[in-house]
Amino acid sequence: MTIKKRTIPIELTFSLVIIVIVISVITLICLDLSYKIESTNKNIDASVIATNILENINFRTYDGFNEYVQTLTGTGISKTVDESTQNIVIDGNDFNETFFGTQIPKDFVVNFTASRSNENFDIIKEITINITYKVFNKRENFEISSVLERENIEECNSPVTTDTYFQDLGFNNDEYEIIPIKYSKTLESFVTTNKNDPEWYNYSVKRWAKVLIFSRDTENFKDLFVDENGNIKMQANYDNIVLDVTNYIYVWIPNFSIKDDITYFRYGTSKRAIKMDFQYLNSNYLYLNRVGEEIANISNECSFDGIYGVWKKLGDENDIYYQNFNKTKYAPINIY
């Protein structure tokens, strides 16, 4: 008996080939699509991680950043720090803490570099955050760069003229006009100025920031003292009464405290002292103010809790803030 071989029709063979090709193509498309989705998702995660790290850094002082990097330790951290460059590698598979307030997920590795851009002085750091991750066993990365600058910290807190800082005095900007003033030696009189004028105040020479406060309800009262050119009279006549302009002057007392008979201005609303610092290299000096240690309040009555400073009436020796500040090296006030 002869067994005949069954042959597959060529049409069926062709169809099977087409099906195999189509399935292969679909599989490749699905794999490619899965890869792209996974890659996109992890890229987004990496960008969020990097952004959160930068935001946390921006909330720190320059010295606070350096202190954090110097003291950072833990499992999953590799760190090399020298005079000019700070390099930190965080492996999310082993690191269980937060890095600059940011959790590093597993399978993510953060390579963080902060390099001093000025060869002489540590005032600017160029920051690079490179985050690597695997997508289907292929290594990919996300990178972002930024710059961290040492703060230009003033000698003391700048005056704040929002309503909140005049509420204790019973003033607000809707009912009262608040006018920054300074003394002009050329004109030998007070003149109006603005908050951006570098001559408005200088506490090193006892020139406290001053403002005039006039009620908006008193018709032409401001015009009694201030002419169209911004010159201010020391005295004015109102209904046959002689008024002195100093009765309407208020002065800014920045956040400060005293320790061991030394007066310190304090940074922002904190209790940390502003201190003069300098860097020296190759016969070059760079003088900077920095934020130092905490200095306790003078008293519960003179604490500056949650505020940058206070406005007080010129010469009000009954006020606890004015009393204490008027005993410091920044007093007595240089009115003229």
Side-chain angles (χ1 to χ4, degrees), residues 140-171:
E140 294 190 0
N141 75 296
F142 173 89
E143 184 170 297
I144 189 172
S145 299
S146 184
V147 173
L148 177 65
E149 296 185 36
R150 184 178 289 275
E151 306 86 349
N152 182 20
I153 300 175
E154 293 188 33
E155 176 189 24
C156 62
N157 288 339
S158 300
V160 182
T161 57
T162 57
D163 281 350
T164 305
Y165 282 80
F166 291 98
Q167 284 179 350
D168 291 343
L169 300 173
F171 302 135

Side-chain angles (χ1 to χ4, degrees), residues 25-259:
V25 170
I26 291 174
T27 300
L28 290 174
I29 292 174
C30 289
L31 289 173
D32 183 65
L33 182 61
S34 297
Y35 177 88
K36 288 181 178 178
I37 292 173
E38 181 76 4
S39 177
T40 299
N41 288 338
K42 287 199 170 183
N43 185 270
I44 292 172
D45 291 340
S47 67
V48 171
I49 294 169
T51 301
N52 288 342
I53 291 173
L54 287 180
E55 287 180 351
N56 185 277
I57 290 172
N58 289 333
F59 280 111
R60 298 173 185 266
T61 64
Y62 197 88
D63 289 334
F65 168 86
N66 286 331
E67 181 180 350
Y68 177 86
V69 170
Q70 291 290 343
T71 58
L72 182 66
T73 58
T75 304
I77 296 176
S78 173
K79 183 172 69 172
T80 56
V81 177
D82 58 33
E83 186 176 334
S84 61
T85 304
Q86 300 157 317
N87 183 260
I88 303 169
V89 179
I90 305 289
D91 189 338
N93 292 305
D94 301 318
F95 186 68
N96 297 319
E97 306 299 325
T98 59
F99 178 62
F100 284 110
T102 305
Q103 191 73 46
I104 310 302
K106 294 184 181 301
D107 299 329
F108 285 79
V109 176
V110 177
N111 193 318
F112 178 93
T113 303
S115 302
R116 193 173 71 186
S117 63
N118 187 298
E119 63 179 16
N120 292 325
F121 300 107
D122 186 14
I123 55 176
I124 298 177
K125 294 184 187 296
E126 295 176 348
I127 294 175
T128 300
I129 302 174
N130 185 287
I131 301 177
T132 60
Y133 48 88
K134 284 185 178 180
V135 181
F136 292 175
N137 293 322
K138 181 180 178 181
R139 182 64 66 178
E140 294 190 0
N141 75 296
F142 173 89
E143 184 170 297
I144 189 172
S145 299
S146 184
V147 173
L148 177 65
E149 296 185 36
R150 184 178 289 275
E151 306 86 349
N152 182 20
I153 300 175
E154 293 188 33
E155 176 189 24
C156 62
N157 288 339
S158 300
V160 182
T161 57
T162 57
D163 281 350
T164 305
Y165 282 80
F166 291 98
Q167 284 179 350
D168 291 343
L169 300 173
F171 302 135
N172 62 62
N173 289 332
D174 292 331
E175 298 176 0
Y176 291 84
E177 186 167 5
I178 299 167
I179 309 167
I181 65 171
K182 66 178 182 180
Y183 188 80
S184 170
K185 291 184 178 180
T186 302
L187 299 175
E188 296 184 344
S189 68
F190 286 113
V191 295
T192 60
T193 185
N194 61 74
K195 294 187 291 184
N196 296 320
D197 185 348
E199 296 181 351
W200 184 22
Y201 62 89
N202 184 343
Y203 285 82
S204 293
V205 295
K206 306 179 183 181
R207 189 193 311 141
W208 306 2
K210 297 176 281 292
V211 294
L212 276 177
I213 301 180
F214 293 124
S215 171
R216 296 183 188 275
D217 293 336
T218 305
E219 187 177 0
N220 297 326
F221 196 74
K222 171 187 170 183
D223 295 337
L224 292 175
F225 287 100
V226 185
D227 67 21
E228 59 183 9
N229 295 317
N231 299 319
I232 300 170
K233 298 177 183 178
M234 291 301 298
Q235 293 183 327
N237 190 297
Y238 182 73
D239 286 345
N240 296 320
I241 300 175
V242 177
L243 303 176
D244 195 291
V245 73
T246 56
N247 292 327
Y248 307 94
I249 294 179
Y250 291 78
V251 295
W252 173 252
I253 300 176
N255 181 4
F256 81 99
S257 191
I258 300 172
K259 178 182 179 181

